[in-house]
Amino acid sequence: MKKICITDSGYGGLTVCADLVHLLKKQQKAAEINYFNACYADNYGYNAIPDRKSKVKMFDKALVGIKKYYAPDEILVACNTLSTLIEDTNFVKNNAIPIKSIIDVGLELIQKTLSINDTVSIFGTETTIGENTYLKHLLAKGWGKEQIEQIACPGLQTAISRRDQVEKKVKQFTGLAGKNSWYFLGCTHYGIRSDAFQHSKILNPNLEMAQKSCEEIKDYGTISMKMVSRYEMPENEIATWTALLKEPLTVEMLKNYTIKEDLF
């Protein structure tokens, strides 16, 4: 049975996890799924780390922890912020475990869905937008700079986790986007509240990542799931994600997560 580790700097990757489990159950496929919270502490996420070198070092430690405690067949980095750091980690340079990035999935989704004449507004965290990863790749594929808007959304992922004026905050950021643009949700948190973006042309890479992973699984049978975190996660945020996710196995995994302070 294939062992998959899904990692994120918090909760957003749970949406990929829930989508994957839904597809596996529908097709009666089997997998061992482990969810690894790569955030160091509740009040110390990657967007709070002041420099890129320190962010890379932190994520590198998390990847080592994934290998040590799970030894997965595949790692899904279901986080745009972490995906911008992958290539610079020592882990990637020295380990053979396949790693799939939500950014790679997202770029494929943009290119297969949009025509060369379309425009796209990319919403993401400060780190994701600041790295210009989507912009650089799309320009290299022949897109014009005028076709691509990058919109940083400070605090939106936290607002979603805490159900704190989400619609108001989303409206603040969508007001910066072109009316005819496609909206690309460049943070896995945003996918769970795509309804708040109130737009007819939305690209959500979360489901796309789940579909690609499901297609590669060949075993049939039961699904096992575990979640681990360095720290005790706030009860209000667990309650929020329990309500948002709805997928029963993922919700059960979240409610019964394990705290391991020496995780990385």
Side-chain angles (χ1 to χ4, degrees), residues 41-62:
D42 180 47
N43 59 352
Y44 194 64
Y46 286 81
N47 289 302
I49 299 175
D51 61 274
R52 191 177 192 280
K53 184 178 180 180
S54 297
K55 293 177 184 180
V56 171
K57 185 177 180 180
M58 182 73 72
F59 188 39
D60 196 44
K61 290 180 179 179

Side-chain angles (χ1 to χ4, degrees), residues 67-245:
K67 181 180 179 180
K68 179 179 179 180
Y69 291 109
Y70 289 140
D73 298 311
E74 179 180 60
I75 299 172
L76 302 184
V77 182
C79 173
N80 285 265
T81 294
L82 297 184
S83 292
T84 66
L85 308 174
I86 294 172
E87 294 304 319
D88 290 326
T89 62
N90 289 325
F91 183 89
V92 167
K93 299 169 186 175
N94 299 313
N95 286 274
I97 298 174
I99 299 179
K100 290 187 178 176
S101 149
I102 192 77
I103 285 183
D104 290 339
V105 172
L107 285 165
E108 289 179 17
L109 180 61
I110 291 171
Q111 291 174 73
K112 80 175 185 180
T113 306
L114 278 62
S115 74
I116 199 67
N117 296 317
D118 284 324
T119 58
V120 60
S121 298
I122 299 169
F123 298 89
T125 66
E126 306 97 297
T127 298
T128 299
I129 299 303
E131 288 285 328
N132 288 317
T133 305
Y134 286 103
L135 177 64
K136 291 174 184 175
H137 280 81
L138 291 173
L139 291 177
K141 292 291 184 180
W143 288 64
K145 196 170 183 178
E146 71 281 358
Q147 295 176 270
I148 309 160
E149 293 178 299
Q150 295 194 108
I151 301 172
C153 306
L156 181 54
Q157 73 274 21
T158 302
I160 290 171
S161 288
R162 297 177 181 174
R163 289 187 280 192
D164 179 21
Q165 298 182 314
V166 176
E167 289 79 5
K168 181 180 179 180
K169 291 182 186 295
V170 169
K171 188 174 181 180
Q172 171 189 345
F173 299 124
T174 56
L176 303 173
K179 292 183 179 179
N180 296 318
S181 288
W182 284 82
Y183 285 6
F184 179 84
L185 307 185
C187 172
T188 47
H189 280 70
Y190 304 168
I192 200 78
R193 287 303 316 271
S194 59
D195 60 298
F197 285 78
Q198 299 183 352
H199 196 62
S200 60
K201 299 189 295 185
I202 291 179
L203 295 176
N204 179 3
N206 298 5
L207 180 57
E208 187 80 3
M209 175 172 255
Q211 288 174 333
K212 286 180 174 292
S213 183
C214 183
E215 288 170 3
E216 295 174 359
I217 293 173
K218 307 302 180 184
D219 298 315
Y220 292 87
T222 58
I223 302 167
S224 67
M225 303 181 72
K226 292 180 182 178
M227 178 175 179
V228 67
S229 173
R230 283 193 80 260
Y231 59 90
E232 183 177 356
M233 298 186 293
E235 290 185 8
N236 64 321
E237 295 189 12
I238 291 176
T240 295
W241 283 93
T242 295
L244 290 172
L245 287 166

Side-chain angles (χ1 to χ4, degrees), residues 2-7 17 31-37 66 69-72 74 76 224-228 253:
K2 189 172 184 178
K3 296 170 66 177
I4 300 171
C5 184
I6 300 174
T7 188
C17 187
E32 178 184 321
I33 299 174
N34 295 299
Y35 189 89
F36 187 103
N37 181 3
I66 287 173
Y69 291 109
Y70 289 140
E74 179 180 60
L76 302 184
S224 67
M225 303 181 72
K226 292 180 182 178
M227 178 175 179
V228 67
M253 177 190 73

